[in-house]
Each structure stands twice: as structure tokens, then as C-alpha cells.
Amino acid sequence: MNNNELYVSLDIGTSNIKVIVGEMSDESLNIIGVGNVPSEGLKKGSIVDIDETVHSIKKAFEQAERMIGFPLRHAIVGVNGNYINIQDTNGVVAVSSENKEIHVEDVRRVMEAAQVVSIPPEQLIVDVIPRQFIVDGRGDITDPKKMLGVRLEVEGSLITGSKTILHNLLRCVERAGIEIMDICLQPLAAGSVALSKDEKNLGVALIDIGGGSTTVAVFENGHLLATRVVPLGGENITKDLSIGLRTSTDEAERVKKQFGHAFYEEASEEEAFEVAVIGTDQKQTFTQREVADIIEARLEEIFLFVAEELRNMGIKELPGGFVLTGGQAGMPGVLSLAQDVLQNNVRVASPNYIGVREPQYMTGVGLIQFAYRNAKIQGRKVGFKMPAEAVQEVAASHQKEVQQRPKPKSKQQQAQAEKKPSKMKKIFNFFWE
Ligand SMILES: Nc1ncnc2c1ncn2[C@@H]1O[C@H](COP(=O)(O)OP(=O)(O)OP(=O)(O)O)[C@@H](O)[C@H]1O
Ligand SMILES: [Mg+2]
């Protein structure tokens, strides 16, 4: 580990709160820590209890801190697609330097100019996403810094959200003692890693099947067109299983994750397992196929609602198909069912980084990548340096390990070393998949 900048993302979900700590070196991301705890205080993606949410955020940070061995105080915070509005915007400024070279300050000013738009009083600006910069009439520029020109324009999307929802969210984060470095729209962040350039150009729908909600985000001509939220997700499936199998929610969640299958035809008739019956000490045996029957019904309903939302948005064709992500997309059979219901190309996307190779981490990883790229263009700071004492401590523990390596250890020393793994070792073990 060296002294590169660290980036921390916070995904406050209905089922789980996820904290991801990443280190960027040479434009590539290394994940060095993860916190993932059950989320209390949210329903269908919205905060319903501030204290419980704050408590859960703190717990998720503590978990990530234990893994990396030093405290975290900053985060890039994700905002879900609930009550989000996207509109076109643009801004123009004169380049300020005498030699007419465009500096980061000019980029910052033009981005600010693009935010001077009248929006309804109950709305708040979440972000401005540049589509293209234009220098003296020449467009399609992604980063105008260091170019020469007199007139700098930006065309992009202005993202606004409900003031009440955003205030509550940010308040929870601040109350948990975390400084907000950036706020990003989650589907946009997830899309920046989950989708290819081609898919986004052709027209693609990213479907995030979370715990309390399913978010549909449509990208066309390279940009996010709109988001819609279906208020159903993995928790509904767990609830259906709890009713259908007459068992507790916790047991239903375990069965779902361990044996669940989303496509009846592909589910096994042989694989059988015991489920505790609620209120008794009896157990009942079910097969994977029986469970798949219940899961498929609910997931099919979710996909039908997604298709309806797309029709409402006026989307007729999606040559780029569908990309599924979110925790519930990790279940076997989801892909087959989605292909069957949506009648288009479908794939499931998971982040391709050690330690977070599950679709539930797509948003968290996306938040880091997305905020990093935007901040670089606009000269903003969203990362931070690892505290000096932590760098020293990690380096010292590493050196100690190297020094100790050739010496044969007494049994007692060995037992002690096994009991107390070093920070480096802990991180290393985590990546050992
Ligand atoms: N391997 C798995 N198999 C089946 N279901 C899974 C698996 N992993 C996670 N889930 C389910 O995914 C859901 C949580 O997903 P995720 O973490 O993406 O949601 P969230 O972000 O907390 O919620 P939301 O986005 O709706 O606010 C839970 O219902 C959980 O049971
Ligand atoms: Mg989510």
C-alpha cells in the first residue's frame, strides 16, 4: 500500500448499507475495504427513521474501518432514482486567462453557469453531468482543460431531486460523522461501470433489483435518458417465501440466498432442504423447484412492471438490451427468467474487482469510478490521502513481518502471531477468494 488517494463510497440501500474503500493508482481501482451491514430505517429506498439509519451507517463504516485499520471520515454518497428529474441544461463563459488556455477554473465556472436554471421550489440540484464541452463552436470535447479558446460552453443534464428526501439522506450521513465529498445519482454511477459505450449508444436499460425497489435507468446516445422506480424488490420475494413456506423472515432470507432459483424450469427437483416452521420446533422439507415457483412469480411481476415503465417512458426499442444488477440479480435463474419475460438480450453485471464480485456492489463501485472521473475533469476533490500515521503503521507492520520471516518461531510466538493477524495480512486474507 502506498500513498495514493483513497475513495470511499456509501450506498444506503433498503436492505443493506454498503461502504467501499478504493485506491486509485494509474487510473485503475483497487478495492481495499468493504463494509456491508443490514440496513435499518429505510423502506422502499426512502429513509423512514433517521436514528436507525445513522446507526446503520456508522456500523457499515466501522466494519470497513476494521478491515483497513484506520478511521474513515469522508464519502461519496449515492442518491437513488426515487423522485429524480433529468433535464437538459447548458452554460457559457469567456475563457479568463490572458493566453486563452482553458484552466480548471474556467471548467468550474461553466459548470456553475449550467446550474443557473429555475427549478421548482421543492426540488434540489443533485448534479450536472456534462454531455459535451464546446470550445469556440467545436463540440464533442470531453475534457477542455489545456485547450486554447475564447468561448467555453457546456451541454449536459441537470439532475434534480426532492428536497425533503435529499435533506434527510444528507443529514443522516453528516450525523454519522461523515463528510460528504460528492453526491451522485446511483443509476448513473452504476451505469458508468456496468455498461459498455456501445450499449449506452445503442440504447440499453439498466435494471437494479435491490431489496426494497427495482430501478430502471435508460441510456440512449451515450447518456442517461430517464430513471423510474418500481417499488418491489428482493424483500418482497423473501416475504412471499416466508408466507409460502410458513417460516420466519430470517429463515426465508437464508433459504432464498442458499437454495433460491428464479426459473422454475431450470430449478432442481432433487435438491431438497429443511425449513423451520414458524412457531414450532418442526421442520418441513422443500425442493428447489417448489421454492422457484414462488420466486419466479414475484420476479416475473417485477419484470412486467419494468416493461410497463419502459412503455410509459415511450421506449419502443432497446438494441443494447437489458443489463441486470443489484443484490437480487445474483440469484441463479434470474437471467433465464428475464430473457423469457423481456424477450431481448439480457446479461447480469457484477463489478470485476476482487472482494466485490457480486451485483449488490455495482452501485458502490460505480460511485467511486464515476465521482473520480467527473472530479478529475472539474478539478474537484473527492478522495483523500491515507492518514500519515496509518501509512507508517502499515509500513512498519509490513517491515516487521519481513524481518520476522527468516527467523524460526517458537510455538508460543507462532500461536500468538496466528491469533493477531497484521493489518496487511487482514487485507490480504480478504482478497484471497
Ligand atoms: N446471492 C443472492 N441471491 C439471492 N438474493 C440475494 C443475493 N444477494 C443479495 N440478495 C438479495 O438482494 C437484496 C439486496 O440487494 P441490494 O443490496 O442491491 O439492495 P439495497 O441496495 O439494499 O436496496 P434498494 O436498492 O432497493 O434500496 C436482498 O433482498 C437480498 O436478499
Ligand atoms: Mg440499492
Side-chain angles (χ1 to χ4, degrees), residues 179-198:
E179 187 187 333
I180 299 162
M181 303 300 276
D182 202 0
I183 304 163
C184 303
L185 182 61
Q186 291 188 163
L188 207 52
S192 73
V193 229
L195 306 173
S196 71
K197 247 189 187 153
D198 282 343

Side-chain angles (χ1 to χ4, degrees), residues 172-377:
C172 286
V173 181
E174 275 162 5
R175 281 224 185 157
I178 301 300
E179 187 187 333
I180 299 162
M181 303 300 276
D182 202 0
I183 304 163
C184 303
L185 182 61
Q186 291 188 163
L188 207 52
S192 73
V193 229
L195 306 173
S196 71
K197 247 189 187 153
D198 282 343
E199 282 170 336
K200 283 196 265 191
N201 279 329
L202 285 170
V204 66
L206 179 70
I207 306 177
D208 178 339
I209 319 171
S213 57
T214 297
T215 308
V216 193
V218 179
F219 293 77
E220 228 177 59
N221 299 323
H223 306 288
L224 177 65
L225 206 67
T227 66
R228 292 280 189 282
V229 178
V230 175
L232 294 171
E235 285 182 1
N236 298 86
I237 297 174
T238 305
K239 207 165 165 193
D240 293 346
L241 285 174
S242 141
I243 295 166
L245 311 181
R246 290 194 296 139
T247 192
S248 66
T249 315
D250 287 349
E251 179 79 337
E253 178 76 13
R254 178 188 71 84
V255 168
K256 182 179 89 170
K257 283 192 178 152
Q258 211 173 333
F259 306 103
H261 201 289
F263 200 47
Y264 182 82
E265 276 173 43
E266 287 173 8
S268 159
E269 266 179 298
E270 279 84 47
E271 188 167 356
F273 41 87
E274 286 195 327
V275 180
V277 179
I278 198 161
T280 68
D281 49 10
Q282 288 170 12
K283 299 212 166 189
Q284 226 186 326
T285 304
F286 292 95
T287 65
Q288 190 183 49
R289 189 164 265 202
E290 284 169 323
V291 172
D293 201 13
I294 299 173
I295 299 172
E296 187 187 275
R298 179 62 83 173
L299 259 180
E300 185 178 352
E301 184 194 22
I302 293 177
F303 287 133
L304 290 172
F305 274 123
V306 165
E308 194 182 315
E309 285 296 344
L310 290 170
R311 271 196 301 278
N312 292 345
M313 285 186 212
I315 308 289
K316 294 201 177 69
E317 261 186 284
L318 281 171
F322 291 84
V323 176
L324 311 182
T325 184
Q328 188 56 54
M331 180 185 273
V334 169
L335 182 66
S336 306
L337 179 69
Q339 280 165 338
D340 197 55
V341 178
L342 300 168
Q343 293 291 309
N344 201 332
N345 312 329
V346 186
R347 67 179 179 89
V348 175
S350 295
N352 192 16
Y353 297 96
I354 299 171
V356 288
R357 288 192 212 278
E358 282 174 56
Q360 60 167 328
Y361 292 118
M362 194 47 113
T363 298
V365 171
L367 284 169
I368 294 183
Q369 296 268 32
F370 184 74
Y372 172 79
R373 275 183 231 152
N374 276 340
K376 210 173 146 198
I377 296 173

